[in-house]
Each structure stands twice: as C-alpha cells, then as structure tokens.
mmCIF file of all heavy atoms in Angstrom:
data_model
loop_
_atom_site.group_PDB
_atom_site.id
_atom_site.type_symbol
_atom_site.label_atom_id
_atom_site.label_comp_id
_atom_site.label_asym_id
_atom_site.label_seq_id
_atom_site.Cartn_x
_atom_site.Cartn_y
_atom_site.Cartn_z
ATOM 1 N N LEU N 1 27.464 -69.481 -3.413
ATOM 2 C CA LEU N 1 26.091 -70.045 -3.198
ATOM 3 C C LEU N 1 26.190 -70.954 -1.954
ATOM 4 O O LEU N 1 26.900 -71.893 -1.918
ATOM 5 C CB LEU N 1 25.623 -70.893 -4.352
ATOM 6 C CG LEU N 1 24.261 -71.460 -4.243
ATOM 7 C CD1 LEU N 1 23.180 -70.456 -4.086
ATOM 8 C CD2 LEU N 1 23.959 -72.341 -5.482
ATOM 9 N N ASN N 2 25.514 -70.482 -0.854
ATOM 10 C CA ASN N 2 25.687 -71.161 0.422
ATOM 11 C C ASN N 2 24.487 -72.029 0.738
ATOM 12 O O ASN N 2 23.411 -71.553 0.986
ATOM 13 C CB ASN N 2 25.904 -70.052 1.532
ATOM 14 C CG ASN N 2 26.074 -70.764 2.901
ATOM 15 O OD1 ASN N 2 26.569 -71.832 3.047
ATOM 16 N ND2 ASN N 2 25.582 -70.004 3.929
ATOM 17 N N PHE N 3 24.695 -73.372 0.927
ATOM 18 C CA PHE N 3 23.632 -74.277 1.304
ATOM 19 C C PHE N 3 23.794 -74.631 2.825
ATOM 20 O O PHE N 3 22.964 -75.283 3.411
ATOM 21 C CB PHE N 3 23.740 -75.607 0.509
ATOM 22 C CG PHE N 3 23.179 -75.437 -0.876
ATOM 23 C CD1 PHE N 3 23.985 -75.018 -1.916
ATOM 24 C CD2 PHE N 3 21.844 -75.652 -1.146
ATOM 25 C CE1 PHE N 3 23.459 -74.904 -3.254
ATOM 26 C CE2 PHE N 3 21.294 -75.457 -2.430
ATOM 27 C CZ PHE N 3 22.136 -75.171 -3.494
ATOM 28 N N ALA N 4 24.923 -74.219 3.405
ATOM 29 C CA ALA N 4 25.092 -74.539 4.878
ATOM 30 C C ALA N 4 24.210 -73.711 5.656
ATOM 31 O O ALA N 4 23.889 -72.477 5.413
ATOM 32 C CB ALA N 4 26.574 -74.262 5.254
ATOM 33 N N PRO N 5 23.617 -74.218 6.754
ATOM 34 C CA PRO N 5 22.735 -73.506 7.667
ATOM 35 C C PRO N 5 23.550 -72.547 8.572
ATOM 36 O O PRO N 5 23.603 -72.693 9.778
ATOM 37 C CB PRO N 5 22.026 -74.550 8.509
ATOM 38 C CG PRO N 5 23.099 -75.665 8.546
ATOM 39 C CD PRO N 5 23.758 -75.595 7.233
ATOM 40 N N ALA N 6 24.164 -71.543 7.941
ATOM 41 C CA ALA N 6 25.000 -70.538 8.680
ATOM 42 C C ALA N 6 25.069 -69.236 7.862
ATOM 43 O O ALA N 6 24.894 -69.228 6.651
ATOM 44 C CB ALA N 6 26.443 -71.090 8.780
ATOM 45 N N VAL N 7 25.099 -68.167 8.661
ATOM 46 C CA VAL N 7 25.218 -66.849 8.078
ATOM 47 C C VAL N 7 26.718 -66.558 7.838
ATOM 48 O O VAL N 7 27.536 -66.603 8.825
ATOM 49 C CB VAL N 7 24.573 -65.784 8.991
ATOM 50 C CG1 VAL N 7 24.760 -64.347 8.382
ATOM 51 C CG2 VAL N 7 23.043 -66.082 9.172
ATOM 52 N N LEU N 8 27.060 -66.204 6.628
ATOM 53 C CA LEU N 8 28.460 -65.995 6.333
ATOM 54 C C LEU N 8 28.817 -64.481 6.345
ATOM 55 O O LEU N 8 28.049 -63.609 5.950
ATOM 56 C CB LEU N 8 28.789 -66.458 4.942
ATOM 57 C CG LEU N 8 28.508 -67.984 4.651
ATOM 58 C CD1 LEU N 8 28.835 -68.370 3.272
ATOM 59 C CD2 LEU N 8 29.331 -68.870 5.659
ATOM 60 N N ALA N 9 29.978 -64.216 6.832
ATOM 61 C CA ALA N 9 30.525 -62.836 6.910
ATOM 62 C C ALA N 9 31.575 -62.736 5.782
ATOM 63 O O ALA N 9 32.541 -63.485 5.830
ATOM 64 C CB ALA N 9 31.135 -62.449 8.271
ATOM 65 N N VAL N 10 31.324 -61.885 4.849
ATOM 66 C CA VAL N 10 32.236 -61.669 3.656
ATOM 67 C C VAL N 10 32.504 -60.222 3.438
ATOM 68 O O VAL N 10 31.653 -59.394 3.796
ATOM 69 C CB VAL N 10 31.670 -62.352 2.403
ATOM 70 C CG1 VAL N 10 31.457 -63.847 2.615
ATOM 71 C CG2 VAL N 10 30.320 -61.701 2.003
ATOM 72 N N PRO N 11 33.591 -59.968 2.806
ATOM 73 C CA PRO N 11 33.893 -58.470 2.581
ATOM 74 C C PRO N 11 33.112 -57.910 1.470
ATOM 75 O O PRO N 11 32.416 -58.692 0.672
ATOM 76 C CB PRO N 11 35.399 -58.536 2.189
ATOM 77 C CG PRO N 11 35.606 -59.933 1.673
ATOM 78 C CD PRO N 11 34.687 -60.862 2.450
ATOM 79 N N ASP N 12 33.078 -56.616 1.414
ATOM 80 C CA ASP N 12 32.349 -55.927 0.274
ATOM 81 C C ASP N 12 32.948 -56.430 -1.054
ATOM 82 O O ASP N 12 34.111 -56.710 -1.211
ATOM 83 C CB ASP N 12 32.581 -54.438 0.350
ATOM 84 C CG ASP N 12 31.850 -53.781 1.570
ATOM 85 O OD1 ASP N 12 30.932 -54.462 2.101
ATOM 86 O OD2 ASP N 12 32.184 -52.669 1.933
ATOM 87 N N GLY N 13 32.070 -56.557 -2.030
ATOM 88 C CA GLY N 13 32.462 -57.060 -3.360
ATOM 89 C C GLY N 13 32.294 -58.462 -3.507
ATOM 90 O O GLY N 13 32.429 -59.035 -4.654
ATOM 91 N N VAL N 14 31.960 -59.223 -2.447
ATOM 92 C CA VAL N 14 31.616 -60.671 -2.619
ATOM 93 C C VAL N 14 30.130 -60.848 -2.346
ATOM 94 O O VAL N 14 29.512 -60.434 -1.349
ATOM 95 C CB VAL N 14 32.388 -61.498 -1.500
ATOM 96 C CG1 VAL N 14 31.996 -63.005 -1.534
ATOM 97 C CG2 VAL N 14 33.850 -61.365 -1.688
ATOM 98 N N ASP N 15 29.455 -61.503 -3.236
ATOM 99 C CA ASP N 15 28.042 -61.774 -3.306
ATOM 100 C C ASP N 15 27.760 -63.119 -2.696
ATOM 101 O O ASP N 15 28.370 -64.136 -3.162
ATOM 102 C CB ASP N 15 27.423 -61.643 -4.637
ATOM 103 C CG ASP N 15 27.508 -60.276 -5.196
ATOM 104 O OD1 ASP N 15 26.965 -59.362 -4.495
ATOM 105 O OD2 ASP N 15 28.043 -60.024 -6.301
ATOM 106 N N VAL N 16 26.791 -63.216 -1.805
ATOM 107 C CA VAL N 16 26.452 -64.507 -1.189
ATOM 108 C C VAL N 16 24.939 -64.737 -1.428
ATOM 109 O O VAL N 16 24.148 -63.803 -1.082
ATOM 110 C CB VAL N 16 26.787 -64.589 0.314
ATOM 111 C CG1 VAL N 16 26.269 -65.910 0.858
ATOM 112 C CG2 VAL N 16 28.261 -64.486 0.524
ATOM 113 N N ARG N 17 24.506 -65.894 -1.900
ATOM 114 C CA ARG N 17 23.118 -66.255 -2.050
ATOM 115 C C ARG N 17 23.024 -67.479 -1.120
ATOM 116 O O ARG N 17 23.737 -68.479 -1.243
ATOM 117 C CB ARG N 17 22.759 -66.611 -3.490
ATOM 118 C CG ARG N 17 22.928 -65.586 -4.460
ATOM 119 C CD ARG N 17 21.863 -64.475 -4.343
ATOM 120 N NE ARG N 17 20.499 -65.008 -4.557
ATOM 121 C CZ ARG N 17 19.402 -64.217 -4.462
ATOM 122 N NH1 ARG N 17 19.473 -62.976 -4.217
ATOM 123 N NH2 ARG N 17 18.252 -64.756 -4.743
ATOM 124 N N LYS N 18 22.006 -67.403 -0.206
ATOM 125 C CA LYS N 18 21.818 -68.495 0.722
ATOM 126 C C LYS N 18 20.610 -69.253 0.429
ATOM 127 O O LYS N 18 19.532 -68.724 0.104
ATOM 128 C CB LYS N 18 21.686 -67.860 2.176
ATOM 129 C CG LYS N 18 21.475 -68.924 3.285
ATOM 130 C CD LYS N 18 21.548 -68.361 4.622
ATOM 131 C CE LYS N 18 21.192 -69.297 5.721
ATOM 132 N NZ LYS N 18 22.009 -70.504 5.710
ATOM 133 N N VAL N 19 20.784 -70.588 0.383
ATOM 134 C CA VAL N 19 19.580 -71.521 0.184
ATOM 135 C C VAL N 19 19.460 -72.369 1.468
ATOM 136 O O VAL N 19 20.375 -73.223 1.824
ATOM 137 C CB VAL N 19 19.943 -72.441 -1.053
ATOM 138 C CG1 VAL N 19 18.654 -73.336 -1.248
ATOM 139 C CG2 VAL N 19 20.206 -71.627 -2.253
ATOM 140 N N ASP N 20 18.372 -72.087 2.219
ATOM 141 C CA ASP N 20 18.212 -72.858 3.435
ATOM 142 C C ASP N 20 16.842 -73.625 3.302
ATOM 143 O O ASP N 20 15.732 -73.044 3.410
ATOM 144 C CB ASP N 20 18.094 -71.912 4.635
ATOM 145 C CG ASP N 20 18.156 -72.615 5.979
ATOM 146 O OD1 ASP N 20 17.520 -73.675 6.093
ATOM 147 O OD2 ASP N 20 18.802 -72.113 6.852
ATOM 148 N N LEU N 21 16.874 -74.899 3.014
ATOM 149 C CA LEU N 21 15.802 -75.751 2.775
ATOM 150 C C LEU N 21 14.860 -75.781 4.021
ATOM 151 O O LEU N 21 13.611 -75.851 3.885
ATOM 152 C CB LEU N 21 16.104 -77.140 2.395
ATOM 153 C CG LEU N 21 17.017 -77.162 1.039
ATOM 154 C CD1 LEU N 21 17.330 -78.619 0.744
ATOM 155 C CD2 LEU N 21 16.276 -76.545 -0.152
ATOM 156 N N SER N 22 15.470 -75.822 5.215
ATOM 157 C CA SER N 22 14.609 -75.874 6.441
ATOM 158 C C SER N 22 13.802 -74.713 6.610
ATOM 159 O O SER N 22 12.587 -74.708 7.081
ATOM 160 C CB SER N 22 15.538 -76.186 7.695
ATOM 161 O OG SER N 22 16.402 -75.045 7.928
ATOM 162 N N ILE N 23 14.334 -73.505 6.279
ATOM 163 C CA ILE N 23 13.540 -72.258 6.386
ATOM 164 C C ILE N 23 12.415 -72.245 5.461
ATOM 165 O O ILE N 23 11.254 -71.849 5.729
ATOM 166 C CB ILE N 23 14.515 -71.093 6.199
ATOM 167 C CG1 ILE N 23 15.390 -70.858 7.455
ATOM 168 C CG2 ILE N 23 13.668 -69.792 5.976
ATOM 169 C CD1 ILE N 23 16.345 -69.661 7.309
ATOM 170 N N GLU N 24 12.651 -72.767 4.231
ATOM 171 C CA GLU N 24 11.624 -72.765 3.213
ATOM 172 C C GLU N 24 10.444 -73.693 3.682
ATOM 173 O O GLU N 24 9.283 -73.423 3.524
ATOM 174 C CB GLU N 24 12.125 -73.230 1.870
ATOM 175 C CG GLU N 24 13.148 -72.330 1.269
ATOM 176 C CD GLU N 24 12.648 -70.896 1.065
ATOM 177 O OE1 GLU N 24 11.425 -70.751 0.735
ATOM 178 O OE2 GLU N 24 13.455 -69.936 1.286
ATOM 179 N N LEU N 25 10.822 -74.881 4.321
ATOM 180 C CA LEU N 25 9.804 -75.786 4.778
ATOM 181 C C LEU N 25 9.069 -75.130 5.971
ATOM 182 O O LEU N 25 7.840 -75.347 6.069
ATOM 183 C CB LEU N 25 10.457 -77.066 5.282
ATOM 184 C CG LEU N 25 10.994 -78.024 4.166
ATOM 185 C CD1 LEU N 25 11.814 -79.126 4.705
ATOM 186 C CD2 LEU N 25 9.747 -78.593 3.387
ATOM 187 N N GLN N 26 9.765 -74.406 6.810
ATOM 188 C CA GLN N 26 9.083 -73.707 7.943
ATOM 189 C C GLN N 26 8.034 -72.656 7.420
ATOM 190 O O GLN N 26 6.993 -72.539 8.015
ATOM 191 C CB GLN N 26 10.084 -73.123 8.851
ATOM 192 C CG GLN N 26 10.864 -74.205 9.672
ATOM 193 C CD GLN N 26 12.051 -73.520 10.367
ATOM 194 O OE1 GLN N 26 12.038 -72.417 10.734
ATOM 195 N NE2 GLN N 26 13.033 -74.398 10.575
ATOM 196 N N ILE N 27 8.404 -71.990 6.349
ATOM 197 C CA ILE N 27 7.473 -71.003 5.771
ATOM 198 C C ILE N 27 6.275 -71.696 5.240
ATOM 199 O O ILE N 27 5.158 -71.224 5.432
ATOM 200 C CB ILE N 27 8.177 -70.248 4.669
ATOM 201 C CG1 ILE N 27 9.350 -69.300 5.267
ATOM 202 C CG2 ILE N 27 7.224 -69.380 3.876
ATOM 203 C CD1 ILE N 27 10.223 -68.636 4.272
ATOM 204 N N LEU N 28 6.443 -72.846 4.602
ATOM 205 C CA LEU N 28 5.338 -73.624 4.092
ATOM 206 C C LEU N 28 4.451 -74.153 5.245
ATOM 207 O O LEU N 28 3.249 -74.153 5.151
ATOM 208 C CB LEU N 28 5.805 -74.842 3.232
ATOM 209 C CG LEU N 28 6.416 -74.430 1.858
ATOM 210 C CD1 LEU N 28 6.940 -75.725 1.242
ATOM 211 C CD2 LEU N 28 5.354 -73.838 0.965
ATOM 212 N N ALA N 29 5.122 -74.554 6.371
ATOM 213 C CA ALA N 29 4.363 -75.003 7.527
ATOM 214 C C ALA N 29 3.495 -73.859 8.063
ATOM 215 O O ALA N 29 2.349 -74.139 8.469
ATOM 216 C CB ALA N 29 5.372 -75.476 8.662
ATOM 217 N N TYR N 30 4.057 -72.647 8.095
ATOM 218 C CA TYR N 30 3.274 -71.475 8.486
ATOM 219 C C TYR N 30 2.025 -71.352 7.668
ATOM 220 O O TYR N 30 0.931 -71.158 8.154
ATOM 221 C CB TYR N 30 4.119 -70.244 8.421
ATOM 222 C CG TYR N 30 3.261 -68.958 8.577
ATOM 223 C CD1 TYR N 30 2.808 -68.490 9.814
ATOM 224 C CD2 TYR N 30 2.884 -68.220 7.443
ATOM 225 C CE1 TYR N 30 1.988 -67.396 9.864
ATOM 226 C CE2 TYR N 30 2.145 -67.113 7.532
ATOM 227 C CZ TYR N 30 1.714 -66.646 8.716
ATOM 228 O OH TYR N 30 0.916 -65.535 8.827
ATOM 229 N N HIS N 31 2.196 -71.436 6.341
ATOM 230 C CA HIS N 31 1.017 -71.221 5.440
ATOM 231 C C HIS N 31 0.020 -72.360 5.626
ATOM 232 O O HIS N 31 -1.192 -72.096 5.615
ATOM 233 C CB HIS N 31 1.488 -71.165 3.999
ATOM 234 C CG HIS N 31 2.186 -69.823 3.687
ATOM 235 N ND1 HIS N 31 1.502 -68.604 3.742
ATOM 236 C CD2 HIS N 31 3.516 -69.550 3.345
ATOM 237 C CE1 HIS N 31 2.416 -67.640 3.483
ATOM 238 N NE2 HIS N 31 3.572 -68.238 3.199
ATOM 239 N N GLU N 32 0.490 -73.579 5.862
ATOM 240 C CA GLU N 32 -0.416 -74.681 6.077
ATOM 241 C C GLU N 32 -1.213 -74.457 7.374
ATOM 242 O O GLU N 32 -2.377 -74.771 7.438
ATOM 243 C CB GLU N 32 0.339 -76.018 6.129
ATOM 244 C CG GLU N 32 0.872 -76.541 4.834
ATOM 245 C CD GLU N 32 -0.268 -76.708 3.845
ATOM 246 O OE1 GLU N 32 -1.298 -77.356 4.236
ATOM 247 O OE2 GLU N 32 -0.230 -76.330 2.729
ATOM 248 N N GLN N 33 -0.544 -73.954 8.441
ATOM 249 C CA GLN N 33 -1.172 -73.701 9.662
ATOM 250 C C GLN N 33 -2.249 -72.587 9.480
ATOM 251 O O GLN N 33 -3.316 -72.735 10.002
ATOM 252 C CB GLN N 33 -0.122 -73.129 10.724
ATOM 253 C CG GLN N 33 -0.742 -72.877 12.028
ATOM 254 C CD GLN N 33 0.385 -72.527 13.050
ATOM 255 O OE1 GLN N 33 0.844 -73.415 13.641
ATOM 256 N NE2 GLN N 33 0.817 -71.295 13.072
ATOM 257 N N ARG N 34 -2.015 -71.540 8.656
ATOM 258 C CA ARG N 34 -2.954 -70.492 8.431
ATOM 259 C C ARG N 34 -4.089 -71.034 7.613
ATOM 260 O O ARG N 34 -5.290 -70.692 7.903
ATOM 261 C CB ARG N 34 -2.273 -69.363 7.694
ATOM 262 C CG ARG N 34 -1.177 -68.626 8.402
ATOM 263 C CD ARG N 34 -1.528 -68.276 9.826
ATOM 264 N NE ARG N 34 -2.793 -67.499 9.959
ATOM 265 C CZ ARG N 34 -3.363 -67.214 11.087
ATOM 266 N NH1 ARG N 34 -2.820 -67.695 12.239
ATOM 267 N NH2 ARG N 34 -4.491 -66.457 11.103
ATOM 268 N N LYS N 35 -3.864 -71.986 6.706
ATOM 269 C CA LYS N 35 -4.994 -72.563 6.001
ATOM 270 C C LYS N 35 -5.943 -73.329 6.914
ATOM 271 O O LYS N 35 -7.137 -73.323 6.787
ATOM 272 C CB LYS N 35 -4.462 -73.490 4.821
ATOM 273 C CG LYS N 35 -3.698 -72.819 3.740
ATOM 274 C CD LYS N 35 -3.092 -73.866 2.809
ATOM 275 C CE LYS N 35 -2.147 -73.275 1.864
ATOM 276 N NZ LYS N 35 -1.408 -74.300 1.111
ATOM 277 N N ALA N 36 -5.354 -74.126 7.813
ATOM 278 C CA ALA N 36 -6.122 -74.871 8.746
ATOM 279 C C ALA N 36 -6.923 -73.938 9.693
ATOM 280 O O ALA N 36 -8.072 -74.255 9.996
ATOM 281 C CB ALA N 36 -5.182 -75.716 9.614
ATOM 282 N N HIS N 37 -6.251 -72.871 10.087
ATOM 283 C CA HIS N 37 -7.026 -71.851 10.880
ATOM 284 C C HIS N 37 -8.220 -71.310 10.161
ATOM 285 O O HIS N 37 -9.339 -71.188 10.695
ATOM 286 C CB HIS N 37 -6.046 -70.724 11.314
ATOM 287 C CG HIS N 37 -6.784 -69.606 11.985
ATOM 288 N ND1 HIS N 37 -7.066 -68.468 11.372
ATOM 289 C CD2 HIS N 37 -7.165 -69.508 13.311
ATOM 290 C CE1 HIS N 37 -7.714 -67.644 12.218
ATOM 291 N NE2 HIS N 37 -7.697 -68.184 13.393
ATOM 292 N N ASP N 38 -7.975 -70.931 8.903
ATOM 293 C CA ASP N 38 -9.076 -70.366 8.075
ATOM 294 C C ASP N 38 -10.177 -71.391 7.863
ATOM 295 O O ASP N 38 -11.358 -70.980 7.644
ATOM 296 C CB ASP N 38 -8.557 -69.793 6.749
ATOM 297 C CG ASP N 38 -7.641 -68.651 6.964
ATOM 298 O OD1 ASP N 38 -7.642 -67.951 7.995
ATOM 299 O OD2 ASP N 38 -6.840 -68.415 6.039
ATOM 300 N N ALA N 39 -9.820 -72.668 7.884
ATOM 301 C CA ALA N 39 -10.864 -73.706 7.731
ATOM 302 C C ALA N 39 -11.514 -74.065 8.952
ATOM 303 O O ALA N 39 -12.429 -74.870 9.039
ATOM 304 C CB ALA N 39 -10.132 -74.973 7.137
ATOM 305 N N GLY N 40 -11.101 -73.398 10.123
ATOM 306 C CA GLY N 40 -11.799 -73.567 11.355
ATOM 307 C C GLY N 40 -11.298 -74.716 12.269
ATOM 308 O O GLY N 40 -11.969 -75.189 13.111
ATOM 309 N N ASP N 41 -10.020 -75.012 12.063
ATOM 310 C CA ASP N 41 -9.358 -76.097 12.941
ATOM 311 C C ASP N 41 -8.607 -75.405 13.999
ATOM 312 O O ASP N 41 -7.510 -74.964 13.852
ATOM 313 C CB ASP N 41 -8.448 -76.940 12.058
ATOM 314 C CG ASP N 41 -7.777 -78.041 12.900
ATOM 315 O OD1 ASP N 41 -8.158 -78.198 14.086
ATOM 316 O OD2 ASP N 41 -6.981 -78.842 12.323
ATOM 317 N N PRO N 42 -9.177 -75.358 15.283
ATOM 318 C CA PRO N 42 -8.446 -74.595 16.333
ATOM 319 C C PRO N 42 -7.152 -75.284 16.744
ATOM 320 O O PRO N 42 -6.283 -74.652 17.277
ATOM 321 C CB PRO N 42 -9.527 -74.668 17.502
ATOM 322 C CG PRO N 42 -10.383 -75.850 17.175
ATOM 323 C CD PRO N 42 -10.455 -75.879 15.696
ATOM 324 N N ALA N 43 -7.034 -76.597 16.520
ATOM 325 C CA ALA N 43 -5.832 -77.364 16.878
ATOM 326 C C ALA N 43 -4.608 -76.896 16.136
ATOM 327 O O ALA N 43 -3.466 -77.109 16.521
ATOM 328 C CB ALA N 43 -6.013 -78.786 16.758
#
C-alpha cells in the first residue's frame, strides 16, 4: 500500500495499491470548478 507520491516498479506477482491524497483533492477541485461553471461563474 503506497502513500508516497511516486509510481513504483514492481515485478509480476506483487500487487500495489496507491493512495495519493493530492490527486484526490485535485479531482475534487475539478468538480468544484465545473459546479461553479454550471452556476454561471466565468471566473
């Protein structure tokens, strides 16, 4: 389980799950931006 902001290279047979909090926040920022756009805020 990888919390580090890095992509890991591992051999076959090793499972990696990545948790990147900054990416999740950026996705939320995108959705907030779209909501504002839909509400008519050009800024």
Side-chain angles (χ1 to χ4, degrees):
L1 181 61
N2 178 32
F3 284 90
V7 176
L8 301 179
V10 297
D12 291 342
V14 177
D15 294 305
V16 175
R17 298 288 297 182
K18 180 172 174 55
V19 180
D20 192 321
L21 301 180
S22 65
I23 287 179
E24 297 303 322
L25 285 171
Q26 288 170 28
I27 292 171
L28 289 175
Y30 165 80
H31 288 295
E32 286 302 312
Q33 181 173 270
R34 297 313 305 171
K35 293 173 193 173
H37 172 264
D38 293 342
D41 180 3

